[in-house]
Amino acid sequence: GSYYRFGYSLDGDRHYTLDRVSPGGTPLGVPGGATVHHAVLPAAGDQVRVHQAADGTISAYVNGTLSISAVDAVNNLQATTYGMA
């Protein structure tokens, strides 16, 4: 199924992003959008953590600081796979 990916692309602005990805690898966008709390450019040694709560809230942290959050109470609520890019 689809899954969430928190990481960055070598293209564009390179900030960490949260993407929902189809089984075929196509970005689908986060339902309802994602909120950027702290835009972070990746650096060597970054500590990355992602948490999805039972209500569908997804919180992505870089070095202990909340970077991006979103709520998806429908897609992959219990079975999503997080990938680091």
Side-chain angles (χ1 to χ4, degrees):
S2 63
Y3 63 94
Y4 279 94
R5 175 179 60 203
F6 178 64
Y8 65 92
S9 171
L10 296 178
D11 302 332
D13 66 11
R14 291 185 41 110
H15 286 93
Y16 283 101
T17 61
L18 178 67
D19 299 304
R20 193 169 132 237
V21 182
S22 75
T26 304
L28 299 172
V30 177
T35 301
V36 176
H37 300 274
H38 184 71
V40 179
L41 287 170
D46 280 349
Q47 297 291 312
V48 179
R49 179 172 59 96
V50 177
H51 174 76
Q52 185 173 18
D55 68 356
T57 300
I58 302 166
S59 303
Y61 299 84
V62 180
N63 300 322
T65 300
L66 179 61
S67 177
I68 299 174
S69 66
V71 177
D72 183 355
V74 177
N75 299 287
N76 306 349
L77 180 58
Q78 300 299 324
T80 190
T81 303
Y82 296 111
M84 295 297 166

